[in-house]
Amino acid sequence: MSAILPPSERLWWKHPLDRVEGIWIAISFIWCMVMFFMMVFWHIYGKQNLATETYKTTPEKFTAQTQAAVDKWTVRTETEQKIPVVAPPEGADVYMIGRLWNWWPILELEKGKTYKLHLTSMDYNHGFSLQPTNINIQVVPGYEHVIKVTPNESGTFSVICNEYCGIGHHEMLGRIYVK
């Protein structure tokens, strides 16, 4: 029998399995079961799952909230675009907007203190990827994503859009400083 020609007998599924084929089917099935139960284990005991809240919002409402936080806690501006650097107090609600093609504003947080980070997109789907810690969140227009964050190491962290959002996607970068 060849792969090009049809089987000589129409009821090919009634033929007994070859021993090697049966072994590979069993190995595949056992591995699928292991991975299935590991998903439950990783979800319960893993530390990679973010506890997020999501609310409906409008661009106008979220922009007003973000602008109020920027007006209240701006400490300086950076880059040619004069992006504000916001240093909120511990426990504050901090806001970050994703839009073509930047993350706004830059955040300056303190190590060991907890904040509520609010994210939304003003135009298209964007991906919030915090590097090098590898936190990934899909940011969708019309929804406010809220995450409790407690930075545990100091440094400069890059925010990268990991969801293709158009011709300037490669320039969609932001920053979070942790002191």
Side-chain angles (χ1 to χ4, degrees):
M1 176 160 79
S2 78
I4 298 173
L5 300 174
S8 57
E9 296 180 36
R10 303 262 317 148
L11 303 178
W12 56 269
W13 59 86
K14 290 189 176 184
H15 288 266
L17 285 179
D18 185 61
R19 182 176 176 273
V20 174
E21 186 177 15
I23 290 171
W24 280 110
I25 290 173
I27 289 170
S28 300
F29 180 75
I30 290 168
W31 186 247
C32 287
M33 291 295 102
V34 167
M35 295 304 291
F36 176 79
F37 290 108
M38 285 304 292
M39 285 190 304
V40 175
F41 176 80
W42 286 324
H43 184 72
I44 294 169
Y45 297 105
K47 295 183 180 183
Q48 77 277 10
N49 298 317
L50 292 174
T52 62
E53 301 171 12
T54 307
Y55 306 101
K56 278 194 103 36
T57 190
T58 63
E60 297 79 20
K61 179 182 172 188
F62 196 85
T63 302
Q65 291 171 323
T66 306
Q67 190 61 53
V70 166
D71 293 343
K72 191 186 296 184
W73 298 314
T74 296
V75 292
R76 66 184 178 280
T77 59
E78 289 187 1
T79 73
E80 301 162 353
Q81 294 86 19
K82 303 281 187 221
I83 298 174
V85 177
V86 176
E90 181 179 7
D93 290 321
V94 293
Y95 296 86
M96 198 170 221
I97 294 175
R99 60 179 161 220
L100 296 180
W101 282 290
N102 68 1
W103 290 99
W104 186 88
I106 297 171
L107 301 178
E108 187 173 273
L109 308 176
E110 292 185 46
K111 179 180 173 181
K113 298 191 176 176
T114 302
Y115 304 88
K116 285 179 81 174
L117 176 60
H118 298 252
L119 301 167
T120 196
S121 168
M122 292 292 145
D123 39 37
Y124 301 112
N125 283 356
H126 294 291
F128 176 90
S129 178
L130 187 63
Q131 298 297 324
T133 59
N134 196 26
I135 293 174
N136 294 294
I137 300 164
Q138 182 76 26
V139 183
V140 181
Y143 291 92
E144 179 178 347
H145 305 275
V146 183
I147 308 136
K148 281 189 179 178
V149 294
T150 306
N152 58 6
E153 60 184 81
S154 302
T156 301
F157 297 86
S158 299
V159 178
I160 300 167
C161 179
N162 59 6
E163 180 72 29
Y164 182 72
C165 56
I167 194 89
H169 169 70
H170 64 286
E171 297 175 354
M172 189 165 175
L173 304 171
R175 240 177 275 147
I176 296 177
Y177 299 118
V178 178
K179 289 185 162 191

